[in-house]
Amino acid sequence: MTELSEIKNNFESKCSIKIETNSRGFNTTVHCYQGVTMQEIDDTVENAIYTHNRIQSELIKEK
């Protein structure tokens, strides 16, 4: 049996999130790979929310 600490991951990120905006709201998709920690998930979600809000603010300014 493989210990969690032995798992090697060559992915750039073990957790990815995609946020899509449409007229009805937001759709989110999250992919987590084996060996991801809760902290990595939390960091990814926090960064995605910050980025999404920043982009939305810039789009509103352009109107």
PDB file of all heavy atoms in Angstrom, residues 9-33:
ATOM      1  N   ASN A   9       3.580  13.653  -7.578  1.00  0.00           N
ATOM      2  CA  ASN A   9       2.639  14.275  -8.505  1.00  0.00           C
ATOM      3  C   ASN A   9       3.413  15.196  -9.429  1.00  0.00           C
ATOM      4  O   ASN A   9       4.070  16.121  -8.981  1.00  0.00           O
ATOM      5  CB  ASN A   9       1.585  15.064  -7.716  1.00  0.00           C
ATOM      6  CG  ASN A   9       0.467  15.544  -8.604  1.00  0.00           C
ATOM      7  OD1 ASN A   9       0.646  15.744  -9.794  1.00  0.00           O
ATOM      8  ND2 ASN A   9      -0.692  15.743  -8.033  1.00  0.00           N
ATOM      9  N   ASN A  10       3.317  14.945 -10.725  1.00  0.00           N
ATOM     10  CA  ASN A  10       4.008  15.766 -11.709  1.00  0.00           C
ATOM     11  C   ASN A  10       3.119  16.850 -12.291  1.00  0.00           C
ATOM     12  O   ASN A  10       3.526  17.573 -13.179  1.00  0.00           O
ATOM     13  CB  ASN A  10       4.543  14.888 -12.849  1.00  0.00           C
ATOM     14  CG  ASN A  10       5.643  13.975 -12.359  1.00  0.00           C
ATOM     15  OD1 ASN A  10       6.406  14.330 -11.473  1.00  0.00           O
ATOM     16  ND2 ASN A  10       5.706  12.780 -12.913  1.00  0.00           N
ATOM     17  N   PHE A  11       1.869  16.950 -11.811  1.00  0.00           N
ATOM     18  CA  PHE A  11       0.967  17.972 -12.302  1.00  0.00           C
ATOM     19  C   PHE A  11       1.410  19.330 -11.781  1.00  0.00           C
ATOM     20  O   PHE A  11       1.998  19.444 -10.722  1.00  0.00           O
ATOM     21  CB  PHE A  11      -0.469  17.714 -11.840  1.00  0.00           C
ATOM     22  CG  PHE A  11      -1.055  16.452 -12.384  1.00  0.00           C
ATOM     23  CD1 PHE A  11      -1.209  15.342 -11.585  1.00  0.00           C
ATOM     24  CD2 PHE A  11      -1.442  16.381 -13.702  1.00  0.00           C
ATOM     25  CE1 PHE A  11      -1.743  14.174 -12.081  1.00  0.00           C
ATOM     26  CE2 PHE A  11      -1.984  15.214 -14.207  1.00  0.00           C
ATOM     27  CZ  PHE A  11      -2.136  14.110 -13.396  1.00  0.00           C
ATOM     28  N   GLU A  12       1.107  20.365 -12.545  1.00  0.00           N
ATOM     29  CA  GLU A  12       1.402  21.718 -12.104  1.00  0.00           C
ATOM     30  C   GLU A  12       0.609  22.037 -10.846  1.00  0.00           C
ATOM     31  O   GLU A  12       1.076  22.716  -9.957  1.00  0.00           O
ATOM     32  CB  GLU A  12       1.061  22.701 -13.223  1.00  0.00           C
ATOM     33  CG  GLU A  12       1.565  24.094 -12.982  1.00  0.00           C
ATOM     34  CD  GLU A  12       1.377  24.961 -14.191  1.00  0.00           C
ATOM     35  OE1 GLU A  12       1.739  24.544 -15.299  1.00  0.00           O
ATOM     36  OE2 GLU A  12       0.839  26.064 -14.012  1.00  0.00           O
ATOM     37  N   SER A  13      -0.616  21.540 -10.773  1.00  0.00           N
ATOM     38  CA  SER A  13      -1.466  21.749  -9.612  1.00  0.00           C
ATOM     39  C   SER A  13      -2.263  20.478  -9.360  1.00  0.00           C
ATOM     40  O   SER A  13      -2.680  19.809 -10.292  1.00  0.00           O
ATOM     41  CB  SER A  13      -2.434  22.906  -9.861  1.00  0.00           C
ATOM     42  OG  SER A  13      -3.341  23.024  -8.798  1.00  0.00           O
ATOM     43  N   LYS A  14      -2.461  20.157  -8.099  1.00  0.00           N
ATOM     44  CA  LYS A  14      -3.241  18.980  -7.753  1.00  0.00           C
ATOM     45  C   LYS A  14      -4.726  19.308  -7.671  1.00  0.00           C
ATOM     46  O   LYS A  14      -5.551  18.430  -7.520  1.00  0.00           O
ATOM     47  CB  LYS A  14      -2.780  18.431  -6.415  1.00  0.00           C
ATOM     48  CG  LYS A  14      -1.376  17.900  -6.424  1.00  0.00           C
ATOM     49  CD  LYS A  14      -0.997  17.435  -5.032  1.00  0.00           C
ATOM     50  CE  LYS A  14       0.480  17.167  -4.948  1.00  0.00           C
ATOM     51  NZ  LYS A  14       0.857  16.861  -3.566  1.00  0.00           N
ATOM     52  N   CYS A  15      -5.058  20.585  -7.750  1.00  0.00           N
ATOM     53  CA  CYS A  15      -6.451  21.011  -7.648  1.00  0.00           C
ATOM     54  C   CYS A  15      -6.674  22.156  -8.622  1.00  0.00           C
ATOM     55  O   CYS A  15      -5.905  23.111  -8.657  1.00  0.00           O
ATOM     56  CB  CYS A  15      -6.746  21.464  -6.227  1.00  0.00           C
ATOM     57  SG  CYS A  15      -8.440  22.014  -5.981  1.00  0.00           S
ATOM     58  N   SER A  16      -7.699  22.055  -9.437  1.00  0.00           N
ATOM     59  CA  SER A  16      -8.024  23.135 -10.364  1.00  0.00           C
ATOM     60  C   SER A  16      -9.494  23.483 -10.226  1.00  0.00           C
ATOM     61  O   SER A  16     -10.313  22.653  -9.847  1.00  0.00           O
ATOM     62  CB  SER A  16      -7.708  22.745 -11.808  1.00  0.00           C
ATOM     63  OG  SER A  16      -8.557  21.692 -12.213  1.00  0.00           O
ATOM     64  N   ILE A  17      -9.807  24.730 -10.508  1.00  0.00           N
ATOM     65  CA  ILE A  17     -11.190  25.191 -10.417  1.00  0.00           C
ATOM     66  C   ILE A  17     -11.484  26.068 -11.623  1.00  0.00           C
ATOM     67  O   ILE A  17     -10.621  26.817 -12.080  1.00  0.00           O
ATOM     68  CB  ILE A  17     -11.459  25.942  -9.095  1.00  0.00           C
ATOM     69  CG1 ILE A  17     -12.944  26.281  -8.936  1.00  0.00           C
ATOM     70  CG2 ILE A  17     -10.596  27.163  -8.973  1.00  0.00           C
ATOM     71  CD1 ILE A  17     -13.308  26.758  -7.546  1.00  0.00           C
ATOM     72  N   LYS A  18     -12.687  25.924 -12.163  1.00  0.00           N
ATOM     73  CA  LYS A  18     -13.115  26.741 -13.292  1.00  0.00           C
ATOM     74  C   LYS A  18     -14.430  27.390 -12.908  1.00  0.00           C
ATOM     75  O   LYS A  18     -15.348  26.718 -12.438  1.00  0.00           O
ATOM     76  CB  LYS A  18     -13.282  25.881 -14.538  1.00  0.00           C
ATOM     77  CG  LYS A  18     -13.773  26.651 -15.752  1.00  0.00           C
ATOM     78  CD  LYS A  18     -13.782  25.799 -17.010  1.00  0.00           C
ATOM     79  CE  LYS A  18     -14.902  24.813 -16.998  1.00  0.00           C
ATOM     80  NZ  LYS A  18     -15.098  24.135 -18.295  1.00  0.00           N
ATOM     81  N   ILE A  19     -14.521  28.704 -13.086  1.00  0.00           N
ATOM     82  CA  ILE A  19     -15.753  29.432 -12.800  1.00  0.00           C
ATOM     83  C   ILE A  19     -16.252  30.033 -14.099  1.00  0.00           C
ATOM     84  O   ILE A  19     -15.518  30.743 -14.778  1.00  0.00           O
ATOM     85  CB  ILE A  19     -15.525  30.557 -11.766  1.00  0.00           C
ATOM     86  CG1 ILE A  19     -14.965  29.997 -10.466  1.00  0.00           C
ATOM     87  CG2 ILE A  19     -16.823  31.314 -11.514  1.00  0.00           C
ATOM     88  CD1 ILE A  19     -14.587  31.046  -9.457  1.00  0.00           C
ATOM     89  N   GLU A  20     -17.491  29.737 -14.451  1.00  0.00           N
ATOM     90  CA  GLU A  20     -18.116  30.296 -15.647  1.00  0.00           C
ATOM     91  C   GLU A  20     -19.289  31.173 -15.218  1.00  0.00           C
ATOM     92  O   GLU A  20     -20.072  30.777 -14.360  1.00  0.00           O
ATOM     93  CB  GLU A  20     -18.618  29.188 -16.563  1.00  0.00           C
ATOM     94  CG  GLU A  20     -17.517  28.294 -17.092  1.00  0.00           C
ATOM     95  CD  GLU A  20     -18.081  27.130 -17.880  1.00  0.00           C
ATOM     96  OE1 GLU A  20     -19.152  26.606 -17.536  1.00  0.00           O
ATOM     97  OE2 GLU A  20     -17.425  26.743 -18.852  1.00  0.00           O
ATOM     98  N   THR A  21     -19.386  32.332 -15.825  1.00  0.00           N
ATOM     99  CA  THR A  21     -20.474  33.252 -15.511  1.00  0.00           C
ATOM    100  C   THR A  21     -21.445  33.275 -16.675  1.00  0.00           C
ATOM    101  O   THR A  21     -21.042  33.333 -17.824  1.00  0.00           O
ATOM    102  CB  THR A  21     -19.917  34.674 -15.291  1.00  0.00           C
ATOM    103  OG1 THR A  21     -18.908  34.613 -14.297  1.00  0.00           O
ATOM    104  CG2 THR A  21     -20.985  35.630 -14.851  1.00  0.00           C
ATOM    105  N   ASN A  22     -22.734  33.229 -16.342  1.00  0.00           N
ATOM    106  CA  ASN A  22     -23.751  33.388 -17.374  1.00  0.00           C
ATOM    107  C   ASN A  22     -24.861  34.271 -16.805  1.00  0.00           C
ATOM    108  O   ASN A  22     -24.750  34.781 -15.701  1.00  0.00           O
ATOM    109  CB  ASN A  22     -24.273  32.028 -17.859  1.00  0.00           C
ATOM    110  CG  ASN A  22     -24.901  31.213 -16.756  1.00  0.00           C
ATOM    111  OD1 ASN A  22     -25.484  31.739 -15.811  1.00  0.00           O
ATOM    112  ND2 ASN A  22     -24.781  29.902 -16.877  1.00  0.00           N
ATOM    113  N   SER A  23     -25.911  34.451 -17.542  1.00  0.00           N
ATOM    114  CA  SER A  23     -26.978  35.362 -17.122  1.00  0.00           C
ATOM    115  C   SER A  23     -27.711  34.886 -15.870  1.00  0.00           C
ATOM    116  O   SER A  23     -28.351  35.676 -15.191  1.00  0.00           O
ATOM    117  CB  SER A  23     -27.979  35.555 -18.263  1.00  0.00           C
ATOM    118  OG  SER A  23     -28.564  34.312 -18.603  1.00  0.00           O
ATOM    119  N   ARG A  24     -27.604  33.618 -15.550  1.00  0.00           N
ATOM    120  CA  ARG A  24     -28.305  33.077 -14.379  1.00  0.00           C
ATOM    121  C   ARG A  24     -27.426  32.978 -13.141  1.00  0.00           C
ATOM    122  O   ARG A  24     -27.895  32.634 -12.073  1.00  0.00           O
ATOM    123  CB  ARG A  24     -28.863  31.705 -14.698  1.00  0.00           C
ATOM    124  CG  ARG A  24     -29.974  31.762 -15.710  1.00  0.00           C
ATOM    125  CD  ARG A  24     -30.579  30.400 -15.863  1.00  0.00           C
ATOM    126  NE  ARG A  24     -30.674  30.130 -17.290  1.00  0.00           N
ATOM    127  CZ  ARG A  24     -30.808  28.949 -17.812  1.00  0.00           C
ATOM    128  NH1 ARG A  24     -30.843  27.894 -17.054  1.00  0.00           N
ATOM    129  NH2 ARG A  24     -30.906  28.792 -19.112  1.00  0.00           N
ATOM    130  N   GLY A  25     -26.143  33.212 -13.276  1.00  0.00           N
ATOM    131  CA  GLY A  25     -25.253  33.099 -12.116  1.00  0.00           C
ATOM    132  C   GLY A  25     -23.911  32.517 -12.495  1.00  0.00           C
ATOM    133  O   GLY A  25     -23.368  32.814 -13.558  1.00  0.00           O
ATOM    134  N   PHE A  26     -23.406  31.678 -11.628  1.00  0.00           N
ATOM    135  CA  PHE A  26     -22.077  31.113 -11.802  1.00  0.00           C
ATOM    136  C   PHE A  26     -22.132  29.595 -11.786  1.00  0.00           C
ATOM    137  O   PHE A  26     -22.899  29.006 -11.037  1.00  0.00           O
ATOM    138  CB  PHE A  26     -21.146  31.564 -10.669  1.00  0.00           C
ATOM    139  CG  PHE A  26     -21.116  33.048 -10.473  1.00  0.00           C
ATOM    140  CD1 PHE A  26     -21.806  33.641  -9.434  1.00  0.00           C
ATOM    141  CD2 PHE A  26     -20.409  33.849 -11.334  1.00  0.00           C
ATOM    142  CE1 PHE A  26     -21.784  35.003  -9.248  1.00  0.00           C
ATOM    143  CE2 PHE A  26     -20.379  35.220 -11.166  1.00  0.00           C
ATOM    144  CZ  PHE A  26     -21.073  35.794 -10.124  1.00  0.00           C
ATOM    145  N   ASN A  27     -21.306  28.973 -12.613  1.00  0.00           N
ATOM    146  CA  ASN A  27     -21.108  27.531 -12.604  1.00  0.00           C
ATOM    147  C   ASN A  27     -19.660  27.277 -12.212  1.00  0.00           C
ATOM    148  O   ASN A  27     -18.756  27.930 -12.732  1.00  0.00           O
ATOM    149  CB  ASN A  27     -21.362  26.921 -13.981  1.00  0.00           C
ATOM    150  CG  ASN A  27     -22.792  27.102 -14.426  1.00  0.00           C
ATOM    151  OD1 ASN A  27     -23.724  26.940 -13.640  1.00  0.00           O
ATOM    152  ND2 ASN A  27     -22.973  27.449 -15.683  1.00  0.00           N
ATOM    153  N   THR A  28     -19.445  26.349 -11.306  1.00  0.00           N
ATOM    154  CA  THR A  28     -18.079  26.026 -10.906  1.00  0.00           C
ATOM    155  C   THR A  28     -17.795  24.555 -11.147  1.00  0.00           C
ATOM    156  O   THR A  28     -18.681  23.703 -11.000  1.00  0.00           O
ATOM    157  CB  THR A  28     -17.829  26.343  -9.420  1.00  0.00           C
ATOM    158  OG1 THR A  28     -18.738  25.586  -8.634  1.00  0.00           O
ATOM    159  CG2 THR A  28     -18.000  27.801  -9.128  1.00  0.00           C
ATOM    160  N   THR A  29     -16.575  24.268 -11.525  1.00  0.00           N
ATOM    161  CA  THR A  29     -16.102  22.906 -11.701  1.00  0.00           C
ATOM    162  C   THR A  29     -14.778  22.789 -10.967  1.00  0.00           C
ATOM    163  O   THR A  29     -13.881  23.606 -11.174  1.00  0.00           O
ATOM    164  CB  THR A  29     -15.877  22.581 -13.194  1.00  0.00           C
ATOM    165  OG1 THR A  29     -17.083  22.855 -13.902  1.00  0.00           O
ATOM    166  CG2 THR A  29     -15.473  21.145 -13.391  1.00  0.00           C
ATOM    167  N   VAL A  30     -14.660  21.804 -10.108  1.00  0.00           N
ATOM    168  CA  VAL A  30     -13.437  21.591  -9.340  1.00  0.00           C
ATOM    169  C   VAL A  30     -12.926  20.193  -9.631  1.00  0.00           C
ATOM    170  O   VAL A  30     -13.685  19.226  -9.611  1.00  0.00           O
ATOM    171  CB  VAL A  30     -13.689  21.747  -7.825  1.00  0.00           C
ATOM    172  CG1 VAL A  30     -12.409  21.505  -7.047  1.00  0.00           C
ATOM    173  CG2 VAL A  30     -14.263  23.114  -7.497  1.00  0.00           C
ATOM    174  N   HIS A  31     -11.630  20.091  -9.913  1.00  0.00           N
ATOM    175  CA  HIS A  31     -10.972  18.798 -10.121  1.00  0.00           C
ATOM    176  C   HIS A  31      -9.860  18.680  -9.090  1.00  0.00           C
ATOM    177  O   HIS A  31      -9.021  19.567  -8.981  1.00  0.00           O
ATOM    178  CB  HIS A  31     -10.357  18.707 -11.520  1.00  0.00           C
ATOM    179  CG  HIS A  31     -11.376  18.727 -12.607  1.00  0.00           C
ATOM    180  ND1 HIS A  31     -12.073  17.616 -12.980  1.00  0.00           N
ATOM    181  CD2 HIS A  31     -11.822  19.732 -13.380  1.00  0.00           C
ATOM    182  CE1 HIS A  31     -12.916  17.938 -13.958  1.00  0.00           C
ATOM    183  NE2 HIS A  31     -12.787  19.216 -14.206  1.00  0.00           N
ATOM    184  N   CYS A  32      -9.867  17.584  -8.348  1.00  0.00           N
ATOM    185  CA  CYS A  32      -8.820  17.333  -7.361  1.00  0.00           C
ATOM    186  C   CYS A  32      -8.156  16.000  -7.692  1.00  0.00           C
ATOM    187  O   CYS A  32      -8.835  15.009  -7.956  1.00  0.00           O
ATOM    188  CB  CYS A  32      -9.399  17.273  -5.955  1.00  0.00           C
ATOM    189  SG  CYS A  32     -10.088  18.836  -5.406  1.00  0.00           S
ATOM    190  N   TYR A  33      -6.836  15.997  -7.688  1.00  0.00           N
ATOM    191  CA  TYR A  33      -6.085  14.784  -7.973  1.00  0.00           C
ATOM    192  C   TYR A  33      -5.649  14.121  -6.673  1.00  0.00           C
ATOM    193  O   TYR A  33      -5.602  14.753  -5.617  1.00  0.00           O
ATOM    194  CB  TYR A  33      -4.863  15.117  -8.832  1.00  0.00           C
ATOM    195  CG  TYR A  33      -5.252  15.665 -10.175  1.00  0.00           C
ATOM    196  CD1 TYR A  33      -5.290  17.040 -10.391  1.00  0.00           C
ATOM    197  CD2 TYR A  33      -5.601  14.809 -11.208  1.00  0.00           C
ATOM    198  CE1 TYR A  33      -5.668  17.548 -11.625  1.00  0.00           C
ATOM    199  CE2 TYR A  33      -5.974  15.309 -12.442  1.00  0.00           C
ATOM    200  CZ  TYR A  33      -6.010  16.672 -12.642  1.00  0.00           C
ATOM    201  OH  TYR A  33      -6.389  17.168 -13.859  1.00  0.00           O
TER     202      TYR A  33
END
